[in-house]
Amino acid sequence: MTDWKAFTVEIADHVAQVTLTGPGKGNAMGPDFWRELPLIFAELDADDEVRAVVLTGAGEHFSYGLDLPAMSPLFGPLLGDKALAAPRTAFLRDIRRLQAAVTAVADSVKPVIAAVSGWCIGGGLDLIAAADIRLASADALFSLREAKVAIVADIGSLHRLPGIIGEGHLRELAYTGKDIDAARAERIGLVNDVYPDRDAVLAAAHELAREIAANPPLVVQGVKDVLDQPKAGRVADGLRYVSTWNAAFLPSEDITEAIQAVFEKRPPAFRGK
C-alpha cells in the first residue's frame, strides 16, 4: 500500500491494522490525517484480502484530537469581524470534508475495531464512534471536549454516540467536556471490554478481528450493511445540519479566546459573545 504520513497500515491474516502516527504530539489530527484517512479506507474496502480492520494509535495515546495549531488556518478567516459569506462558505466545505473523512470509516464495508489506549479526545472520539466495536486499555481516557474550546462538535460524535451510549450520557459529556476513564466508558457502553494495558487491548482487538475474518466475508459485510441502514440517513442529515450551524454561528469572541488560550497555555475566559 501507499506510504502514509499520518498512518501506518499493515495487513496479515485478512486483518488490516491502521495506526495513527501523528506527526503531531499524541497523534493529533492535522492536515495529513484528514487527507489520508478516506484514501486508506477506500483502499481497504477494495482489497478482498482484508476482512476486518483494527484501528489504533501509536505510542502512549490514541489521539489528542484536532491539531489546533496545524488546523488553525481553517478558523482564521472566521475570526474577527470580517466573516462574510465567502469565508463561511469555504468553512462549510472544510467541515464537510472533515466529516467525510470520518464517515469513510463508518461507511467501510469491512468491520472496524478501535483499540484505544491513553487519551482519546475530541476528534479521537469522533473517530472511534465511527468504528463498529471499541475496546480500551485500563489507562484509556475519553473526552468530548469541543465545548471547552467554544466549538459545537461537528464531525460525528453528537450523531453516532446516541445509539452507542444513549442520550443522557452523551449530553453530559457534550455539555461538560469532562474526561471519563475506561471503567466508566465500559459502564455506559462506549467500549465493549477493558484490558490491562495497550499490548493486551491490541492483542484482543486482533483476536476479535480474526474471529470476524473467519466468517464468510460477504455475509459479514451484509450484516454490517443491514445494521447500518436504519441510522445512515439520520446521521447524514445531522452532519449536514451541524456543519451549516457552525458555518453560521461558530465565529465568536469565545472561539478567538479559546484558540489564544491554547497557544498561550492558559485557561480561557469565556464571555458568551
Side-chain angles (χ1 to χ4, degrees):
M1 295 185 69
T2 308
D3 288 330
W4 308 101
K5 294 182 178 179
F7 298 89
T8 61
V9 180
E10 302 168 279
I11 299 173
D13 301 325
H14 298 298
V15 175
Q17 178 174 311
V18 178
T19 305
L20 285 67
T21 60
K25 183 179 179 182
N27 306 319
M29 299 170 168
D32 290 330
F33 171 91
W34 299 105
R35 178 178 55 82
E36 292 175 354
L37 183 65
L39 301 177
I40 288 170
F41 274 85
E43 287 196 15
L44 295 177
D45 276 358
D47 188 342
D48 290 338
E49 288 300 306
V50 175
R51 299 184 180 184
V53 180
V54 173
L55 182 63
T56 194
E60 186 178 353
H61 301 289
F62 183 79
S63 179
Y64 285 175
L66 188 71
D67 188 340
L68 271 177
M71 300 297 287
S72 59
L74 268 67
F75 300 98
L78 298 183
L79 304 181
D81 58 359
K82 299 294 185 182
L84 300 177
R88 289 174 189 266
T89 301
F91 185 64
L92 177 64
R93 287 196 297 266
D94 284 330
I95 296 173
R96 290 181 176 173
R97 175 175 58 84
L98 271 55
Q99 289 176 339
V102 171
T103 296
V105 178
D107 287 351
S108 173
V109 299
K110 315 294 173 69
V112 180
I113 303 163
V116 181
S117 299
W119 280 108
C120 180
I121 303 173
L125 193 55
D126 290 319
L127 182 58
I128 68 166
D132 295 273
I133 299 165
R134 289 149 295 279
L135 308 177
S137 61
D139 69 343
L141 293 164
F142 303 85
S143 182
L144 184 54
R145 196 171 289 182
E146 282 84 348
K148 288 186 177 292
V149 289
I151 297 172
V152 174
D154 56 11
I155 308 299
S157 288
L158 298 185
H159 309 97
R160 295 187 173 101
L161 286 179
I164 298 169
I165 64 175
E167 286 277 349
H169 292 301
L170 173 58
R171 288 173 186 266
E172 179 184 348
L173 297 182
Y175 295 161
T176 65
K178 67 168 55 176
D179 308 330
I180 63 169
D181 62 15
R184 177 153 188 213
E186 184 179 24
R187 286 199 303 273
I188 67 177
L190 179 60
V191 301
N192 287 25
D193 291 293
V194 176
Y195 297 86
D197 53 35
R198 182 182 187 276
D199 290 343
V201 71
L202 194 56
H206 276 273
E207 181 180 357
L208 180 56
R210 288 192 296 270
E211 187 176 356
I212 292 169
N215 287 328
L218 297 181
V219 170
V220 172
Q221 292 170 29
V223 170
K224 176 169 180 173
D225 187 48
V226 170
L227 289 173
D228 286 347
Q229 189 278 330
K231 64 183 180 181
R234 174 182 57 79
V235 170
D237 289 346
L239 289 172
R240 287 187 63 81
Y241 182 87
V242 73
S243 62
T244 305
W245 197 99
N246 267 354
F249 297 116
L250 184 139
S252 67
E253 291 183 11
D254 281 346
I255 192 170
T256 301
E257 167 65 9
I259 292 173
Q260 288 177 345
V262 168
F263 282 104
E264 295 170 8
K265 299 182 179 179
R266 60 170 174 81
F270 296 128
R271 301 173 59 201
K273 293 185 177 181

